[in-house]
Amino acid sequence: MDAQYWDEKYAGRDRLFSGAPNGVLVTEAADLPPGQALDVGCGEGADAVWLARRGWLVTAVDISRTALQRAAAAGADVADRVAWRRADLTAVPPPAGAFDLVSVQYFPLPRRPADTALRGLLAAVAPGGTLLVASHDPAELPPRHELGIDPNDYYQPADIAGVLGEEWRVLVEETRPRTAPAPAGTRHTRDTVLRARRLR
Ligand SMILES: C[S@@+](CC[C@H](N)C(=O)[O-])C[C@H]1O[C@@H](n2cnc3c(N)ncnc32)[C@H](O)[C@@H]1O
């Protein structure tokens, strides 16, 4: 799933996602004081725009140029509070300790030796900051032959929780019903959520 894969996926439809912020983000971030946020794999930008409208300064990163163009258009009213950035987050880590919130919503993060890309994302959370990860419930994922990828090649929230050391406190780790309809063409009914606070 490289840049070409994602650009073609976005180009195949006028709009891939609903345009509404993800339910997990809305539920979990509503009580956080605004600061610096990183939206990991921001797609068409609904989460980043929602955060910016609530006062956050957002760095929104995606590998797809097409997605970022749509996102910037959707967030024209908050252009001064969102930096849209094209990068491959599996290759280039975000700045360390820079973000009060790192939001990872349905981001396909491939497993790597020594967890390098994952550790780069974790390191981006500032002391006192929040890591929020939402994935589709792994139990609901279609089999490999339908999905075209092996879900086991990608981190699930439980894997990420397993990497967190003593400098983290896990606040939420659960699977729960989605609060929004499943993305078009999918049958997801549940989210798996990890929310953790970096203590130091
Ligand atoms: C399933 S979509 C989720 C988009 C958005 N977070 C949402 O929930 O609507 C995954 C997004 O991650 C982006 N992406 C995939 N691999 C990436 C990578 N290595 N670096 C940056 N973005 C990536 C894709 O282009 C896509 O927009």
Side-chain angles (χ1 to χ4, degrees):
M1 292 202 280
D2 57 6
Q4 185 183 351
Y5 169 91
W6 284 104
D7 274 331
E8 285 174 2
K9 197 166 168 72
Y10 281 107
R13 296 169 73 159
D14 288 344
R15 197 176 71 180
L16 196 54
F17 297 110
S18 70
N22 281 302
V24 170
L25 178 71
V26 171
T27 301
E28 300 295 335
D31 64 344
L32 293 174
Q36 295 278 347
L38 174 67
D39 186 357
V40 173
C42 64
E44 290 163 321
D47 286 0
V49 170
W50 181 82
L51 285 165
R53 287 179 183 155
R54 294 178 69 87
W56 289 81
L57 293 172
V58 186
T59 301
V61 181
D62 205 282
I63 203 169
S64 165
R65 239 180 255 289
T66 310
L68 287 168
Q69 284 164 357
R70 291 180 189 174
D77 60 315
V78 285
D80 57 338
R81 292 202 289 281
V82 187
W84 304 104
R85 297 273 180 267
R86 182 174 179 274
D88 178 351
L89 284 166
T90 65
V92 182
F99 299 99
D100 306 295
L101 170 65
V102 171
S103 176
V104 186
Q105 305 281 321
Y106 311 101
F107 179 72
L109 182 61
R111 294 178 191 274
R112 291 282 184 268
D115 305 316
T116 43
L118 171 58
R119 289 188 188 280
L121 293 182
L122 300 182
V125 181
T130 297
L131 170 73
L132 179 62
V133 184
S135 290
H136 302 302
D137 176 4
E140 287 190 329
L141 291 176
R144 180 184 179 156
H145 68 271
E146 276 181 36
L147 212 50
I149 57 163
D150 185 345
N152 295 317
D153 291 342
Y154 296 83
Y155 293 96
Q156 297 298 330
D159 306 316
I160 298 174
V163 169
L164 300 180
E166 284 183 349
E167 70 273 29
W168 292 89
R169 178 173 301 149
V170 173
L171 303 175
V172 177
E173 189 181 6
E174 65 181 16
T175 296
R176 62 197 191 201
R178 286 179 60 91
T179 58
T186 73
R187 299 185 293 267
H188 304 293
T189 67
R190 293 187 298 272
D191 289 313
T192 298
V193 181
L194 171 66
R195 176 177 174 177
R197 183 172 157 82
R198 182 174 208 118
L199 303 177
R200 55 183 183 274

